[in-house]
Amino acid sequence: MTPMHLGQTSHLPASPEEAILDYVPNPRPSTLYCVRFVAPEFTSLCPVTGQPDFAHLVIDYAPDATIVESKSLKLFLGSFRNHAAFHEDCTVGIGQRLFEEMKPTWLRIGGYWYPRGGIPIDVFWQSGQPPAALWLPDQGVAPYRGRG
């Protein structure tokens, strides 16, 4: 399938449901490896107040037949900018959608949300146990410590 966004002018989708993720063939299908995407400025809206919520997302996955095309992933993540949902729904929903559509060997997502009301919320989801031989680095996001 030809990627819809790669090399094309693309507009930010109005919602995550409207976003189309492109997947391309894995260039190393017989190799076990980890791919990491980091979105340190992820934004969504609080479903109660409409105020912006900010998170540092880390997505790790071990591809199978396909990999997610990065421009389409950026547009998908950007579509949450005007999307009202709780931290848990955003984080788990992103992980589950990628896992269901891409069908990687394994996937995990860490959502490190900045405090609102004085409480940071960190949300983690993974598709199952990682493959035993997969090198899996720490996500590298320090716990929130306030002003340092």
Side-chain angles (χ1 to χ4, degrees), residues 43-112:
T43 306
S44 65
L45 297 176
C46 173
V48 177
T49 67
Q51 295 294 311
D53 285 324
F54 301 93
H56 183 134
L57 299 182
V58 181
I59 302 166
D60 293 319
Y61 73 95
D64 191 8
T66 63
I67 58 175
V68 66
E69 191 279 313
S70 63
K71 182 177 180 183
S72 72
L73 180 64
K74 291 173 197 174
L75 291 166
F76 171 58
L77 295 177
S79 72
F80 282 83
R81 169 183 255 169
N82 295 313
H83 179 73
F86 289 111
H87 303 338
E88 297 84 353
D89 189 33
C90 290
T91 306
V92 175
I94 290 166
Q96 288 179 333
R97 178 160 174 196
L98 286 167
F99 186 74
E100 289 165 8
E101 291 183 10
M102 184 173 30
K103 298 178 180 23
T105 301
W106 174 83
L107 184 141
R108 78 173 175 186
I109 182 170
Y112 302 85

Side-chain angles (χ1 to χ4, degrees), residues 32-33 62 105-106 128-136:
L32 179 62
Y33 65 99
T105 301
W106 174 83
Q129 291 297 316
L134 182 65
W135 176 52
L136 199 55

Side-chain angles (χ1 to χ4, degrees), residues 56 87-88 91 110-114 120-124 141-144:
H56 183 134
H87 303 338
E88 297 84 353
T91 306
Y112 302 85
W113 293 83
Y114 293 94
I121 299 172
D122 296 336
V123 181
F124 307 98
V141 181
Y144 185 78

